[in-house]
mmCIF file of all heavy atoms in Angstrom:
data_model
loop_
_atom_site.group_PDB
_atom_site.id
_atom_site.type_symbol
_atom_site.label_atom_id
_atom_site.label_comp_id
_atom_site.label_asym_id
_atom_site.label_seq_id
_atom_site.Cartn_x
_atom_site.Cartn_y
_atom_site.Cartn_z
ATOM 1 N N ASP A 192 23.489 -55.449 -46.874
ATOM 2 C CA ASP A 192 23.510 -56.870 -47.149
ATOM 3 C C ASP A 192 24.740 -57.548 -46.552
ATOM 4 O O ASP A 192 24.842 -58.766 -46.591
ATOM 5 C CB ASP A 192 23.417 -57.115 -48.648
ATOM 6 C CG ASP A 192 24.603 -56.581 -49.430
ATOM 7 O OD1 ASP A 192 25.291 -55.654 -48.958
ATOM 8 O OD2 ASP A 192 24.844 -57.104 -50.535
ATOM 9 N N ARG A 193 25.651 -56.782 -45.996
ATOM 10 C CA ARG A 193 26.857 -57.359 -45.404
ATOM 11 C C ARG A 193 26.784 -57.462 -43.889
ATOM 12 O O ARG A 193 27.594 -58.111 -43.267
ATOM 13 C CB ARG A 193 28.064 -56.507 -45.796
ATOM 14 C CG ARG A 193 28.252 -56.472 -47.300
ATOM 15 C CD ARG A 193 29.246 -55.439 -47.671
ATOM 16 N NE ARG A 193 30.485 -56.114 -48.003
ATOM 17 C CZ ARG A 193 31.617 -55.494 -48.197
ATOM 18 N NH1 ARG A 193 31.681 -54.193 -48.055
ATOM 19 N NH2 ARG A 193 32.691 -56.159 -48.518
ATOM 20 N N LEU A 194 25.807 -56.820 -43.301
ATOM 21 C CA LEU A 194 25.648 -56.803 -41.848
ATOM 22 C C LEU A 194 24.562 -57.795 -41.462
ATOM 23 O O LEU A 194 23.412 -57.654 -41.876
ATOM 24 C CB LEU A 194 25.281 -55.384 -41.392
ATOM 25 C CG LEU A 194 25.200 -55.101 -39.917
ATOM 26 C CD1 LEU A 194 26.535 -55.365 -39.234
ATOM 27 C CD2 LEU A 194 24.778 -53.655 -39.691
ATOM 28 N N GLY A 195 24.923 -58.829 -40.691
ATOM 29 C CA GLY A 195 23.974 -59.884 -40.392
ATOM 30 C C GLY A 195 23.460 -59.914 -38.971
ATOM 31 O O GLY A 195 22.414 -60.480 -38.703
ATOM 32 N N CYS A 196 24.207 -59.320 -38.045
ATOM 33 C CA CYS A 196 23.729 -59.286 -36.674
ATOM 34 C C CYS A 196 24.360 -58.108 -35.945
ATOM 35 O O CYS A 196 25.424 -57.632 -36.324
ATOM 36 C CB CYS A 196 24.020 -60.588 -35.934
ATOM 37 S SG CYS A 196 25.757 -60.947 -35.688
ATOM 38 N N VAL A 197 23.655 -57.641 -34.935
ATOM 39 C CA VAL A 197 24.108 -56.496 -34.147
ATOM 40 C C VAL A 197 24.076 -56.882 -32.677
ATOM 41 O O VAL A 197 23.129 -57.492 -32.202
ATOM 42 C CB VAL A 197 23.186 -55.282 -34.372
ATOM 43 C CG1 VAL A 197 23.541 -54.150 -33.440
ATOM 44 C CG2 VAL A 197 23.255 -54.823 -35.805
ATOM 45 N N HIS A 198 25.135 -56.546 -31.996
ATOM 46 C CA HIS A 198 25.247 -56.738 -30.552
ATOM 47 C C HIS A 198 25.387 -55.337 -29.975
ATOM 48 O O HIS A 198 26.373 -54.657 -30.224
ATOM 49 C CB HIS A 198 26.493 -57.586 -30.261
ATOM 50 C CG HIS A 198 26.877 -57.629 -28.832
ATOM 51 N ND1 HIS A 198 26.602 -58.694 -28.027
ATOM 52 C CD2 HIS A 198 27.525 -56.733 -28.056
ATOM 53 C CE1 HIS A 198 27.074 -58.461 -26.825
ATOM 54 N NE2 HIS A 198 27.635 -57.269 -26.820
ATOM 55 N N ALA A 199 24.372 -54.879 -29.268
ATOM 56 C CA ALA A 199 24.365 -53.488 -28.813
ATOM 57 C C ALA A 199 24.066 -53.391 -27.326
ATOM 58 O O ALA A 199 23.479 -54.297 -26.740
ATOM 59 C CB ALA A 199 23.318 -52.700 -29.587
ATOM 60 N N HIS A 200 24.484 -52.300 -26.752
ATOM 61 C CA HIS A 200 24.170 -51.980 -25.364
ATOM 62 C C HIS A 200 24.412 -50.500 -25.166
ATOM 63 O O HIS A 200 25.082 -49.862 -25.970
ATOM 64 C CB HIS A 200 25.017 -52.805 -24.387
ATOM 65 C CG HIS A 200 26.486 -52.672 -24.595
ATOM 66 N ND1 HIS A 200 27.239 -51.652 -24.051
ATOM 67 C CD2 HIS A 200 27.351 -53.424 -25.317
ATOM 68 C CE1 HIS A 200 28.505 -51.789 -24.414
ATOM 69 N NE2 HIS A 200 28.599 -52.854 -25.194
ATOM 70 N N ASP A 201 23.880 -49.952 -24.123
ATOM 71 C CA ASP A 201 24.096 -48.538 -23.841
ATOM 72 C C ASP A 201 25.303 -48.386 -22.924
ATOM 73 O O ASP A 201 25.772 -49.362 -22.323
ATOM 74 C CB ASP A 201 22.855 -47.908 -23.192
ATOM 75 C CG ASP A 201 22.613 -46.491 -23.687
ATOM 76 O OD1 ASP A 201 23.592 -45.783 -23.998
ATOM 77 O OD2 ASP A 201 21.444 -46.085 -23.749
ATOM 78 N N VAL A 202 25.827 -47.193 -22.861
ATOM 79 C CA VAL A 202 27.035 -46.919 -22.083
ATOM 80 C C VAL A 202 26.880 -45.603 -21.332
ATOM 81 O O VAL A 202 26.029 -44.786 -21.654
ATOM 82 C CB VAL A 202 28.288 -46.839 -22.983
ATOM 83 C CG1 VAL A 202 28.574 -48.161 -23.644
ATOM 84 C CG2 VAL A 202 28.144 -45.751 -24.035
ATOM 85 N N GLN A 203 27.727 -45.424 -20.358
ATOM 86 C CA GLN A 203 27.846 -44.152 -19.659
ATOM 87 C C GLN A 203 28.990 -43.378 -20.321
ATOM 88 O O GLN A 203 29.794 -43.967 -21.037
ATOM 89 C CB GLN A 203 28.127 -44.386 -18.175
ATOM 90 C CG GLN A 203 27.015 -45.150 -17.459
ATOM 91 C CD GLN A 203 25.670 -44.472 -17.589
ATOM 92 O OE1 GLN A 203 25.547 -43.261 -17.496
ATOM 93 N NE2 GLN A 203 24.634 -45.270 -17.827
ATOM 94 N N PRO A 204 29.091 -42.069 -20.103
ATOM 95 C CA PRO A 204 30.087 -41.272 -20.816
ATOM 96 C C PRO A 204 31.518 -41.815 -20.755
ATOM 97 O O PRO A 204 32.217 -41.796 -21.749
ATOM 98 C CB PRO A 204 29.987 -39.896 -20.160
ATOM 99 C CG PRO A 204 28.583 -39.828 -19.668
ATOM 100 C CD PRO A 204 28.248 -41.236 -19.240
ATOM 101 N N ASN A 205 31.948 -42.286 -19.623
ATOM 102 C CA ASN A 205 33.334 -42.750 -19.497
ATOM 103 C C ASN A 205 33.428 -44.193 -19.032
ATOM 104 O O ASN A 205 34.428 -44.591 -18.442
ATOM 105 C CB ASN A 205 34.103 -41.845 -18.533
ATOM 106 C CG ASN A 205 34.203 -40.433 -19.052
ATOM 107 O OD1 ASN A 205 34.566 -40.210 -20.204
ATOM 108 N ND2 ASN A 205 33.862 -39.470 -18.227
ATOM 109 N N PHE A 206 32.366 -44.971 -19.299
ATOM 110 C CA PHE A 206 32.352 -46.336 -18.788
ATOM 111 C C PHE A 206 31.507 -47.206 -19.712
ATOM 112 O O PHE A 206 30.366 -46.868 -20.031
ATOM 113 C CB PHE A 206 31.764 -46.345 -17.366
ATOM 114 C CG PHE A 206 31.665 -47.696 -16.743
ATOM 115 C CD1 PHE A 206 32.789 -48.473 -16.535
ATOM 116 C CD2 PHE A 206 30.434 -48.208 -16.377
ATOM 117 C CE1 PHE A 206 32.698 -49.717 -15.960
ATOM 118 C CE2 PHE A 206 30.328 -49.455 -15.794
ATOM 119 C CZ PHE A 206 31.470 -50.216 -15.583
ATOM 120 N N ASP A 207 32.073 -48.305 -20.141
ATOM 121 C CA ASP A 207 31.373 -49.256 -21.000
ATOM 122 C C ASP A 207 30.471 -50.109 -20.115
ATOM 123 O O ASP A 207 30.763 -51.249 -19.792
ATOM 124 C CB ASP A 207 32.395 -50.110 -21.744
ATOM 125 C CG ASP A 207 31.764 -51.012 -22.769
ATOM 126 O OD1 ASP A 207 30.613 -50.772 -23.162
ATOM 127 O OD2 ASP A 207 32.433 -51.977 -23.180
ATOM 128 N N SER A 208 29.340 -49.544 -19.717
ATOM 129 C CA SER A 208 28.536 -50.102 -18.637
ATOM 130 C C SER A 208 27.590 -51.226 -19.045
ATOM 131 O O SER A 208 27.016 -51.879 -18.191
ATOM 132 C CB SER A 208 27.719 -48.987 -17.991
ATOM 133 O OG SER A 208 26.967 -48.303 -18.971
ATOM 134 N N HIS A 209 27.405 -51.463 -20.343
ATOM 135 C CA HIS A 209 26.471 -52.501 -20.783
ATOM 136 C C HIS A 209 25.119 -52.345 -20.094
ATOM 137 O O HIS A 209 24.563 -53.273 -19.533
ATOM 138 C CB HIS A 209 27.034 -53.900 -20.515
ATOM 139 C CG HIS A 209 28.115 -54.285 -21.454
ATOM 140 N ND1 HIS A 209 29.371 -53.775 -21.370
ATOM 141 C CD2 HIS A 209 28.122 -55.142 -22.505
ATOM 142 C CE1 HIS A 209 30.127 -54.296 -22.315
ATOM 143 N NE2 HIS A 209 29.387 -55.124 -23.028
ATOM 144 N N THR A 210 24.599 -51.149 -20.139
ATOM 145 C CA THR A 210 23.329 -50.883 -19.485
ATOM 146 C C THR A 210 22.183 -50.977 -20.482
ATOM 147 O O THR A 210 22.399 -51.016 -21.699
ATOM 148 C CB THR A 210 23.353 -49.507 -18.779
ATOM 149 O OG1 THR A 210 22.225 -49.414 -17.931
ATOM 150 C CG2 THR A 210 23.366 -48.358 -19.747
ATOM 151 N N ILE A 211 20.982 -51.037 -19.971
ATOM 152 C CA ILE A 211 19.789 -51.162 -20.802
ATOM 153 C C ILE A 211 19.645 -49.927 -21.695
ATOM 154 O O ILE A 211 19.950 -48.803 -21.256
ATOM 155 C CB ILE A 211 18.545 -51.374 -19.903
ATOM 156 C CG1 ILE A 211 17.297 -51.618 -20.737
ATOM 157 C CG2 ILE A 211 18.376 -50.248 -18.921
ATOM 158 C CD1 ILE A 211 16.077 -52.022 -19.929
ATOM 159 N N PRO A 212 19.232 -50.110 -22.947
ATOM 160 C CA PRO A 212 19.026 -48.955 -23.817
ATOM 161 C C PRO A 212 18.142 -47.904 -23.154
ATOM 162 O O PRO A 212 17.203 -48.223 -22.418
ATOM 163 C CB PRO A 212 18.347 -49.576 -25.049
ATOM 164 C CG PRO A 212 18.926 -50.961 -25.109
ATOM 165 C CD PRO A 212 19.007 -51.381 -23.660
ATOM 166 N N PHE A 213 18.479 -46.663 -23.427
ATOM 167 C CA PHE A 213 17.820 -45.460 -22.904
ATOM 168 C C PHE A 213 18.246 -45.131 -21.473
ATOM 169 O O PHE A 213 17.703 -44.217 -20.871
ATOM 170 C CB PHE A 213 16.282 -45.541 -23.000
ATOM 171 C CG PHE A 213 15.795 -45.774 -24.405
ATOM 172 C CD1 PHE A 213 15.320 -47.006 -24.793
ATOM 173 C CD2 PHE A 213 15.843 -44.753 -25.345
ATOM 174 C CE1 PHE A 213 14.894 -47.243 -26.086
ATOM 175 C CE2 PHE A 213 15.417 -44.971 -26.647
ATOM 176 C CZ PHE A 213 14.943 -46.221 -27.009
ATOM 177 N N GLN A 214 19.238 -45.835 -20.939
ATOM 178 C CA GLN A 214 19.758 -45.540 -19.605
ATOM 179 C C GLN A 214 21.180 -45.000 -19.671
ATOM 180 O O GLN A 214 21.811 -44.789 -18.645
ATOM 181 C CB GLN A 214 19.719 -46.790 -18.718
ATOM 182 C CG GLN A 214 18.320 -47.310 -18.476
ATOM 183 C CD GLN A 214 17.442 -46.297 -17.781
ATOM 184 O OE1 GLN A 214 17.775 -45.794 -16.719
ATOM 185 N NE2 GLN A 214 16.325 -45.965 -18.400
#
Side-chain angles (χ1 to χ4, degrees):
D192 64 336
R193 299 169 104 190
L194 186 60
C196 65
V197 173
H198 168 102
H200 56 85
D201 218 328
V202 296
Q203 298 304 319
N205 297 311
F206 179 60
D207 187 18
S208 54
H209 286 75
T210 192
I211 184 172
F213 303 105
Q214 297 299 305

